[in-house]
């Protein structure tokens, strides 16, 4: 599998982790540790870079690339303001762009996402936008200079798996930037399937944070993603309609 | 179509009939579903459904964790004035009750806010009696501009305003409003309220005016004890659903205050016990998966502790219900007696002991300002 490089940085782990919804910062830190993730995303609405913050204190900034996200922003301007705040307070210029005007399904607003992405790229941010699994939008986001595209598999926190598989397949086929499947993955097998489809990475939060044993689930996702990567590297056989015997049935005629 | 028009078309007697004639079979049939709508609510709050409360608690807990995570948000009310022009029969701030009225100066409000913030609370709810002269829009505008320097989010629970007034406050930094209809029973409402608040439909449309002004959060609720709570909450659910569909960018929050002792000693229409209140909360979570459900310090510690994680997503902590009660006028008249006297730190510890994370910050002023 080709190396995953985002904004010039090589990322070894194909599993990104979200930090919301965990029962405690301690459990979150343990889950991060066993997940092997290098990129962790934190919601700016939930953390404070200017004062001691329980979530940020539990993250080792030397070990992880912290990806602030703009969760809660309802339009482009709000998202841009949040990103600027994060950069001013932390020096981090990577941002996971989320523009979700609807508080129920938290579906991304395509128009405002594109607008914000363009503004942020111009300001020098490394922008990783959360988006619908819309191949045209993916190209538009790539065109304005986003470092990745992050299509949803299903609504955030729904654990419904790859409901958008056909469109993610097209996005992967057409993308010149890494594709990170974000939102809706509920099981390790969903993550493996996303990688098998050709996604470069997956981002998982709720499925790990709310599992009965979040640490064990983080490990399960790590193994699933690694297993899918290994499987791809091992050169899988093509799917076929009919059975193909591993030993020819007519060998005795030779 | 405004909610007032919808309200007029709703037959509350029909809702009441469903509630009180529902059978165990009806409730079992409803509980077998995997998704619920507000049409199911009357069955779920029916007296007969109380038998199924454990099953409802499990469903409510599951939905709450899935939609909100293992977290509980904390906030504190800041009472800025107990001056009021209304004569609501159940309220300690009733204009006819004789006691010294206090309206905090802006400096006093800031002092109170500092005390709240020193306990780590970053979300504040400004509360006042309904007296536009004592606490005009400009007063709140100024307070919010000052508070937003420190607090992450500031909401208001004051008199209903016009859209233009809400726009001013939204621009100043107010993030949400709470306006409780008290009861959705029109006749009962008119019996209980005298003064500007007696205009039932103006109050009913307040969340719509606030939503049009851009408030991100709309708080609804009824005061248990004024009318049949099961019917009232069925109406809250319908009202909340209406707002979620029409003002889809705003988060809806619902509170269920129970009447407590106040100046005037009003006799409640009915007493809602802990089990009934829990049933209402579970039912609401089932039919409205994404509303914030709020429990105030009116409720006793045992009940609040028990409900954390079962449907409730936000609780107040360390509350004082009198203006200046945190540090300025600690002996001023309270709107009602609180039942949970624990400090925010103690509340946070309780939340952690139950395997959840207390959330002190869930907003940032940079959503609104550079």
């Amino acid at each position: 599998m080709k190396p995953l490089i985002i904004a010039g940085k090589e990322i070894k782990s194909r599993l990104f982790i979200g930090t919301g919804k965990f029962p405690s910062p301690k459990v979150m830190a343990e889950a991060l540790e066993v997940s092997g993730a290098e990129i962790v995303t934190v919601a700016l609405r939930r953390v404070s870079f200017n004062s001691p913050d329980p979530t940020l204190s539990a993250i080792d900034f030397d070990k992880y690339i912290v990806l602030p996200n703009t969760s809660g922003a309802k339009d482009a301007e709000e998202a841009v303001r949040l990103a600027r705040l994060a950069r001013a307070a932390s020096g981090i210029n990577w941002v996971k762009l989320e523009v979700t005007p609807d508080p129920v399904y938290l579906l991304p607003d395509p128009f405002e996402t594109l607008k914000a992405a363009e503004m942020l790229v111009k300001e020098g941010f490394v922008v990783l936008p959360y988006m619908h699994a819309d191949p045209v939008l993916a190209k538009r986001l790539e065109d304005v200079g986003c470092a990745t595209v992050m299509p949803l598999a299903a609504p955030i926190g729904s654990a419904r798996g790859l409901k958008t598989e056909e469109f993610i397949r097209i996005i992967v086929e057409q993308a010149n930037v890494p594709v990170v499947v974000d939102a809706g993955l509920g099981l390790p097998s969903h993550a493996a399937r996303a990688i098998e489809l050709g996604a470069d990475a997956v981002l998982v939060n709720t499925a790990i944070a709310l599992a009965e044993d979040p640490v064990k689930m983080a490990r399960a996702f790590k193994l699933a993603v690694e297993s899918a990567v290994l499987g791809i590297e091992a050169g899988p056989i093509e799917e076929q309609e009919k059975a193909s015997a591993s030993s020819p049935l007519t060998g005795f005629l030779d | 179509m405004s909610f007032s028009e919808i309200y007029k078309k709703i037959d509350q007697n029909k809702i009441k009939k469903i509630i009180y004639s529902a059978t165990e079979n009806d409730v079992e049939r409803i509980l077998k579903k995997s998704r619920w709508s507000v049409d199911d609510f009357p069955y779920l709050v029916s007296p007969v459904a109380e038998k199924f409360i454990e099953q409802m608690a499990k469903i409510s807990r599951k939905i709450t964790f899935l939609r909100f995570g293992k977290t509980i948000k904390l906030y504190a009310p800041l009472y800025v004035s107990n001056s009021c022009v209304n004569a609501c029969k159940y309220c300690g701030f009733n204009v006819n009750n004789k006691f010294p009225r206090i309206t905090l100066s802006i400096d006093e409000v800031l002092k109170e806010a500092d005390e709240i913030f020193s306990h780590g609370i970053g979300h504040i709810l400004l509360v006042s009696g309904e007296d536009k002269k004592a606490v005009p829009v400009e007063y709140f505008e100024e307070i919010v501009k000052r508070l937003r320097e420190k607090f992450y989010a500031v909401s208001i629970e004051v008199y209903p305003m016009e859209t233009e007034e809400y726009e001013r406050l939204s621009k100043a930094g107010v993030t949400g409003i709470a306006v409780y209809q008290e009861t959705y029973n029109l006749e009962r409402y008119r019996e209980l309220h005298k003064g500007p608040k007696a205009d039932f439909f103006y109050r009913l449309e307040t969340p719509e005016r606030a939503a049009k002004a851009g408030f991100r959060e709309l708080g609804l609720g009824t005061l248990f004890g004024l009318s049949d709570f099961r019917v009232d909450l069925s109406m809250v659910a319908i009202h909340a659903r209406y707002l979620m569909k029409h003002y889809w960018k705003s988060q809806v929050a619902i509170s269920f205050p129970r009447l407590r002792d106040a100046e005037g000693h009003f006799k409640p229409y009915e007493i809602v016990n802990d089990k009934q209140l829990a049933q209402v909360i579970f039912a609401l979570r089932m039919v409205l998966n994404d509303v914030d459900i709020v429990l105030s310090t009116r409720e006793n510690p045992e009940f609040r502790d028990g409900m954390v994680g079962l449907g409730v997503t936000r609780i107040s902590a360390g509350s004082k219900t009198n203006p200046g009660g945190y540090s300025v006028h600690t002996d001023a008249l309270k709107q009602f007696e609180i039942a949970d006297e624990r400090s925010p730190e103690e509340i946070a510890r309780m939340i952690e002991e139950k395997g959840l994370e207390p959330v002190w910050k869930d907003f940032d002023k940079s959503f609104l300002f550079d």
Side-chain angles (χ1 to χ4, degrees):
Chain A
M1 207 165 165
K2 65 180 191 298
L4 171 56
I5 296 172
I6 302 175
K9 271 190 203 288
E10 182 167 351
I11 313 292
K12 293 205 169 55
S13 170
R14 306 287 175 149
L15 175 61
F16 301 179
I17 302 275
T19 53
K21 298 186 175 179
F22 280 93
S24 71
K26 186 172 171 281
V27 174
M28 178 202 74
E30 285 171 23
L32 286 186
E33 177 67 32
V34 303
S35 74
E38 291 161 76
I39 296 187
V40 296
T41 178
V42 294
L44 291 162
R45 64 184 297 170
R46 281 276 165 97
V47 299
S48 177
F49 281 101
N50 296 319
S51 52
D53 182 273
T55 302
L56 292 180
S57 305
I59 298 172
D60 182 347
F61 275 61
D62 293 330
K63 190 171 172 185
Y64 301 105
I65 296 172
V66 174
L67 180 61
N69 72 57
T70 62
S71 148
K74 293 191 182 297
D75 58 34
E77 282 169 23
E78 289 182 9
V80 169
R81 276 200 294 269
L82 277 171
R84 287 178 186 150
L85 165 87
R87 183 161 69 178
S90 67
I92 299 169
N93 76 332
W94 286 37
V95 63
K96 183 188 170 204
L97 176 61
E98 294 186 27
V99 186
T100 54
D102 147 37
V104 175
Y105 285 100
L106 299 171
L107 292 170
D109 181 327
F111 306 103
E112 295 294 314
T113 301
L114 183 62
K115 196 168 137 192
E118 196 164 9
M119 290 164 78
L120 289 167
V121 168
K122 280 184 185 154
E123 291 187 20
F125 283 92
V126 174
V127 181
L128 293 78
Y130 168 57
M131 55 173 284
H132 277 282
D134 175 344
V136 175
L137 179 62
K139 294 309 289 178
R140 296 286 301 266
L141 288 164
E142 188 184 305
D143 287 347
V144 300
C146 289
T148 64
V149 288
M150 303 182 77
L152 56 82
I156 289 179
S158 67
R160 292 168 65 82
L162 283 159
K163 296 292 168 198
T164 56
E165 180 165 330
E166 289 308 314
F167 302 103
I168 287 176
R169 196 189 296 276
I170 298 169
I171 291 171
V172 164
E173 185 195 315
Q174 296 186 323
N176 295 304
V177 293
V179 177
V180 183
V181 172
D182 178 10
L185 302 179
L187 292 169
S189 58
H190 296 156
R193 180 70 186 144
I195 300 290
E196 286 166 358
L197 277 178
D200 296 272
V202 294
L203 193 152
V204 183
N205 184 187
T206 306
I208 293 175
L210 296 187
E212 270 185 50
D213 185 339
V215 178
K216 190 180 268 189
M217 190 58 89
R219 183 169 147 73
F221 269 94
K222 171 191 158 76
L223 293 174
V225 169
E226 285 178 359
S227 167
V229 170
L230 266 181
I232 289 167
E233 287 174 349
I237 59 163
E238 289 295 316
E239 253 181 48
Q240 300 202 26
E241 289 282 318
K242 293 177 182 162
S244 164
S246 49
S247 304
L249 299 177
T250 55
F252 70 97
L253 295 175
D254 293 335
Chain B
M1 191 186 288
S2 75
F3 188 68
S4 288
E5 290 167 73
I6 297 199
Y7 174 90
K8 287 169 192 163
K9 290 182 184 168
I10 297 170
D11 183 349
Q12 293 192 47
N13 286 326
K14 198 171 157 192
I15 292 173
K16 194 168 186 172
K17 199 172 165 196
I18 294 173
I19 291 168
Y20 292 101
S21 61
T23 64
E24 282 187 33
N25 281 347
D26 290 331
V27 179
E28 279 170 350
R29 173 176 54 81
I30 301 284
L31 287 174
K32 275 183 189 151
K33 293 180 164 187
S34 56
R35 294 173 75 121
W36 297 269
S37 77
V38 291
D39 295 339
D40 299 317
F41 191 84
Y43 295 97
L44 294 170
V45 289
S46 64
V48 76
E50 199 175 305
K51 273 190 184 166
F52 301 88
I53 196 162
E54 185 59 26
Q55 198 177 338
M56 289 171 64
K58 282 182 182 150
I59 296 168
S60 173
R61 178 185 165 92
K62 193 174 154 192
I63 296 169
T64 306
F65 283 166
L66 192 60
R67 303 306 300 159
F68 293 86
K70 292 189 172 173
T71 61
I72 295 285
K73 291 174 266 190
L74 298 173
Y75 77 99
L78 196 170
Y79 280 71
V80 298
S81 174
N82 56 18
S83 187
C84 191
V85 296
N86 292 307
C88 308
K89 288 186 179 168
Y90 51 85
C91 181
F93 291 174
N94 185 320
V95 65
N96 298 322
N97 290 344
K98 300 295 171 214
F99 63 90
R101 302 285 170 164
I102 292 174
T103 296
L104 300 184
S105 68
I106 292 189
D107 284 343
E108 286 173 329
V109 173
L110 298 177
K111 194 173 172 210
E112 288 280 278
D114 281 345
E115 175 62 23
I116 293 171
F117 194 77
S118 73
H119 292 277
I121 301 272
H123 291 233
I124 201 166
L125 173 68
L126 299 175
V127 187
S128 80
E130 297 196 5
D131 185 348
K132 208 167 181 171
K133 278 190 185 149
V135 283
V137 177
E138 296 75 23
Y139 173 85
F140 291 110
E141 224 174 0
E142 180 60 25
I143 289 171
V144 175
K145 282 180 185 166
R146 307 276 289 273
L147 287 180
R148 77 183 192 218
E149 296 305 317
K150 190 171 270 184
F151 286 84
Y152 308 123
V154 183
S155 300
I156 52 168
E157 186 182 329
V158 302
Y159 50 87
M161 296 181 192
E162 293 297 322
T163 304
E164 298 72 30
E165 293 170 315
Y166 282 137
E167 277 168 355
R168 283 174 61 177
L169 292 178
S170 177
K171 212 172 151 196
V174 173
T175 46
I177 64 144
V179 57
Y180 305 135
Q181 191 61 29
E182 317 298 11
T183 174
Y184 284 76
N185 181 323
L186 182 57
E187 273 177 39
R188 185 79 176 138
Y189 184 93
R190 286 178 172 157
E191 278 170 30
L192 294 167
H193 299 96
K194 292 273 180 307
K197 191 169 171 177
D199 188 341
F200 179 90
F201 290 105
Y202 184 72
R203 194 171 187 86
L204 194 66
E205 289 177 10
T206 304
E208 289 160 72
R209 294 194 300 277
K212 283 174 190 154
F215 281 122
R216 306 172 76 100
E217 186 177 295
L218 309 171
L220 309 179
T222 59
L223 189 52
F224 284 165
L226 300 186
S227 183
D228 185 306
F229 75 94
R230 295 181 171 95
V231 178
D232 263 350
L233 257 295
S234 302
M235 294 301 294
V236 171
I238 294 168
H239 196 176
R241 188 78 193 102
Y242 166 88
L243 292 170
M244 289 166 85
K245 284 188 98 163
H246 288 81
Y247 301 95
W248 58 279
K249 291 186 183 176
S250 299
Q251 171 73 35
V252 172
I254 297 178
S255 294
F256 320 83
R258 286 188 281 188
L259 264 177
R260 296 191 59 82
D261 268 350
E263 191 82 357
H265 305 292
F266 172 79
K267 195 173 176 318
Y269 170 85
E270 62 186 340
I271 301 290
V272 178
N273 65 35
D274 285 358
K275 203 167 182 183
Q276 289 165 331
L277 178 54
Q279 183 190 354
V280 165
I281 290 173
F282 301 150
L284 198 76
R285 174 59 69 223
M286 289 168 71
V287 304
L288 296 169
N289 297 179
D290 295 280
V291 295
D292 253 320
I293 295 183
V294 187
L295 263 195
S296 78
T297 49
R298 281 174 187 259
E299 306 303 339
N300 64 64
E302 295 73 27
F303 183 74
R304 293 197 344 141
D305 293 5
M307 290 305 292
V308 160
L310 294 186
V312 171
T313 51
R314 191 189 310 170
I315 61 176
S316 50
S319 305
K320 305 290 179 201
T321 65
N322 48 345
Y326 293 97
S327 61
V328 180
H329 303 289
T330 49
D331 54 351
L333 182 86
K334 296 169 184 167
Q335 190 190 29
F336 57 85
E337 289 297 327
I338 62 170
D340 187 346
E341 306 264 3
R342 290 172 295 177
S343 68
E345 293 83 352
E346 288 171 308
I347 298 287
R349 211 171 309 130
M350 173 275 287
I351 293 169
E352 285 165 354
E353 281 165 8
K354 293 180 77 73
L356 286 91
E357 185 185 359
V359 172
W360 304 88
K361 177 179 188 285
D362 191 35
F363 195 75
D364 197 285
K365 67 171 186 284
S366 50
F367 278 114
L368 309 174
F369 306 103
D370 268 324

